[in-house]
Structure formats: C-alpha cells, structure tokens
C-alpha cells in the first residue's frame, strides 16, 4: 500500500509478514515518516520524548502516524480505505 500511495517501504527487504528490525537498522534508514498501527495515541508522545528516537528525521519533524489495525494489518475490502488514508497522510 505504501508504494501504491507513492511512498517507499524501507522494510521490503525483510521477508516477514510483520517485519521486525533492530533499532540500529531502523536508525540507518532514518525514515521521513513512520507509520504504526494500534490505538495507544500516547505511544507517539513516548517516542518523541525518547532521546534515541529524537535523532530520527520523522520524529524530529513530527511525522509519526498511528493507523487503526483494522486498516493496516487485516487485508480485505477496507484496503481501499487504507490506501486513501495513506495517500492523504503522505500528500496532505
């Protein structure tokens, strides 16, 4: 979906359905945006307060986005809704 919306998924080389990478690897990617799924909105503020994460471009610029797991982790008819939300987030 990220590619379809015009973004670049940095985890494409990780051959897992739900990629897990070390923070060291993640830091080398230094993404412009970070997309997470879940419902805990306070997670974003905790990342922003963490000195390790503050060095990342996405955190520094406030580009951390939390999406509903029903859209991100469960494929189905709502995948179109996810694509639209992702596009709006990338280009709004």
């Amino acid at each position: 979906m990220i590619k379809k919306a015009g973004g670049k998924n940095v985890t494409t080389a990780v051959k897992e359905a739900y990629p897990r990478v070390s923070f060291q690897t993640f830091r080398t990617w230094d993404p412009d945006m970070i997309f997470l799924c879940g419902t805990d909105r306070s997670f974003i503020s905790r990342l922003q307060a963490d000195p390790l994460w503050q060095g990342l471009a996405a955190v520094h610029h406030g580009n951390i986005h939390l999406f509903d797991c029903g859209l991100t982790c469960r494929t189905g008819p709502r995948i179109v809704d996810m694509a639209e939300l992702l596009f709006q987030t990338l280009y709004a």
Side-chain angles (χ1 to χ4, degrees), residues 20-32:
R20 294 180 64 120
V21 297
S22 70
F23 184 76
Q24 289 299 103
T25 299
F26 191 73
R27 186 184 340 202
T28 64
W29 294 336
D30 195 19
D32 295 323

Side-chain angles (χ1 to χ4, degrees), residues 8-85:
K8 178 183 176 187
N9 184 351
V10 296
T11 64
T12 54
V14 180
K15 301 299 180 199
E16 297 175 16
Y18 300 97
R20 294 180 64 120
V21 297
S22 70
F23 184 76
Q24 289 299 103
T25 299
F26 191 73
R27 186 184 340 202
T28 64
W29 294 336
D30 195 19
D32 295 323
M33 294 186 144
I34 298 172
F35 300 102
L36 307 166
C37 70
T39 56
D40 182 3
R41 288 269 183 231
S42 68
F43 187 66
I44 292 175
S45 60
R46 291 195 309 270
L47 287 181
Q48 291 170 325
D50 187 319
L52 287 175
W53 286 79
Q54 288 173 357
L56 297 175
V59 176
H60 180 75
H61 296 291
N63 287 324
I64 306 172
H65 304 278
L66 187 67
F67 294 146
D68 183 305
C69 287
L71 293 177
T72 60
C73 300
R74 296 175 188 93
T75 58
R78 292 182 8 165
I79 198 73
V80 173
D81 296 334
M82 180 59 203
E84 290 174 351
L85 179 60

